[in-house]
Amino acid sequence: MATAPASQTPIYRFAPSPNGELHLGHAFSAILTHELACRSGGRFLLRIEDIDAQRASAEFIDAIKHDLAWLGLKWQEPVRRQSEHFGTYRAALAKLEKLGLLYPCFATRKEISKAIEGHDTPRHDPDGAPVYPGIYKNAPDEEINARRAGGEQFALRLDMEKAMNLLKENGKWPIVFSEISTDGRRECIEANPERWGDVVIARKDTPTSYHLSVVVDDAIQKITHVTRGRDLMASTEIHRLLQVFLDLPVPIYHHHRLISGLDGKKLSKSTGSKSLRALREEGVTPDEIRKVLGF
Ligand code: GLU
């Protein structure tokens, strides 16, 4: 596995999606990442994950920068915006397509639910969603070509079985990643991406997905350390798979605890879900935020 050489300057990133206002959970992630970067003499980058044109907005991007600056965080320019790099993600898709790992999927949510209804015990992925039941996986070329020619929108899904077979045939199995725990121990974790099933790699509405853009950008930005919430730990299994097929370097990971209710602390329980803007307007200071988050 190609991990960052010890001599390399550590590069960390905070990568919010501008689909809403930042709250305390984001503040924890951003401050922690910033501290780790500063403590190691590394760099701290900000990346705006705005592939979702329906939900992302310029106001939220401005608000994110405002909140981070208010918390006292400094990031290196330029800020990478994913919506400006669809061509790069298309090139990565083409590489996966060339390996025969993707297939077009025209299924609607309704079709998927209907197909799952017929299963006695549908499998669920680590996020709790039913594993894709394989509609269109083996659709005849004529049908696919006709639908494409008719302008029907489609997603591109990863053929997980093929991907696993290819890894095994090429002696690249098992795949692992390095996880640094909160107490600083480094663990080698074996990824089990099969449990995700045929995940979407390019969505119907945009020529990429969270999984694809995140691995491409981490490589382009030369990120050595990915610090993010524990809720994304299982996604790292898909990321590792994509890194192998796209021949990308592998950062070291730290999946931190999630911030939920903060009862018993100085700020009230409901604070956990309030936006940083709302807290600021109530008179809460950045120092109080740091304190309540344990910094
Ligand atoms: N954009 C993702 C989010 O806001 C985080 C992605 C990551 O850190 O890998 O949840």
Side-chain angles (χ1 to χ4, degrees):
M1 169 169 70
T3 43
S7 58
Q8 198 175 319
T9 302
I11 306 181
Y12 289 76
R13 86 315 191 260
F14 176 58
S17 305
N19 303 337
E21 297 188 300
L22 298 188
H23 49 68
L24 274 183
H26 296 108
F28 179 75
S29 199
I31 297 171
L32 176 67
T33 308
H34 191 263
E35 294 240 322
L36 291 170
C38 293
R39 258 192 256 152
S40 61
R43 296 162 57 195
F44 175 75
L45 307 183
L46 173 62
R47 180 166 79 224
I48 300 294
E49 303 213 322
D50 58 346
I51 59 168
D52 192 336
Q54 299 291 324
R55 297 173 66 210
S57 80
E59 288 74 38
F60 286 138
I61 297 175
D62 288 345
I64 286 171
K65 291 181 180 170
H66 187 83
D67 286 343
L68 296 179
W70 177 67
L71 289 171
L73 309 188
K74 289 191 178 68
W75 56 91
Q76 286 201 347
E77 297 289 346
V79 172
R80 185 174 174 90
R81 275 187 66 169
Q82 291 190 325
S83 60
E84 292 169 357
H85 299 280
F86 287 127
T88 309
Y89 310 133
R90 278 203 186 89
L93 277 179
K95 201 164 173 183
L96 296 173
E97 273 193 303
K98 215 166 153 201
L99 291 169
L101 292 175
L102 303 180
Y103 66 90
C105 168
F106 301 88
T108 57
R109 276 175 207 274
K110 221 167 150 187
E111 266 180 285
I112 297 175
S113 324
K114 220 166 147 214
I116 287 160
E117 264 169 37
H119 291 197
D120 290 344
T121 46
R123 276 173 56 208
H124 288 86
D125 70 23
D127 279 349
V131 166
Y132 182 67
I135 329 166
Y136 299 106
K137 186 166 187 171
N138 299 309
D141 285 350
E142 305 82 70
E143 182 188 343
I144 290 179
N145 293 340
R147 282 176 180 264
R148 282 175 99 146
E152 211 178 307
Q153 281 198 316
F154 58 90
L156 289 171
R157 287 185 180 268
L158 181 76
D159 186 331
M160 188 57 82
E161 201 184 329
K162 242 187 191 173
M164 296 304 291
N165 288 340
L166 196 59
L167 282 184
K168 286 172 188 167
E169 276 163 27
N170 292 320
K172 294 196 166 147
W173 183 256
I175 47 175
V176 295
F177 61 93
S178 275
E179 172 77 16
I180 302 201
S181 57
T182 312
D183 58 14
R185 271 182 305 117
R186 197 155 150 170
E187 245 184 291
C188 176
I189 299 194
E190 209 168 290
N192 178 15
E194 257 176 311
R195 60 199 180 124
W196 284 95
D198 291 358
V199 284
V200 169
I201 300 297
R203 292 163 24 172
K204 278 187 181 177
D205 58 339
T206 184
T208 186
S209 58
Y210 158 62
H211 300 306
L212 183 69
S213 8
V214 92
V215 294
V216 168
D217 283 357
D218 283 340
I220 286 178
Q221 295 191 289
K222 298 190 166 42
I223 303 300
T224 58
H225 293 73
V226 169
T227 305
R228 61 185 173 204
R230 223 170 254 168
D231 52 337
L232 289 170
M233 181 133 173
S235 295
T236 306
E237 305 183 342
I238 303 169
H239 302 172
R240 283 294 298 112
L241 197 63
L242 294 176
Q243 284 158 351
V244 173
F245 291 122
L246 295 171
D247 212 7
L248 303 176
V250 186
I252 296 167
Y253 291 90
H254 170 55
H255 293 93
H256 58 71
R257 72 185 170 95
L258 297 178
I259 302 297
S260 47
L262 290 165
D263 34 347
K265 297 272 176 67
K266 193 172 168 222
L267 300 177
S268 73
K269 188 176 179 188
S270 60
T271 303
S273 54
K274 271 189 197 159
S275 68
L276 295 178
R277 181 194 47 79
L279 293 170
R280 182 166 58 241
E281 285 170 7
E282 279 174 19
V284 176
T285 66
D287 277 350
E288 285 171 319
I289 301 259
R290 280 177 178 268
K291 209 163 162 196
V292 83
L293 292 173
F295 290 103

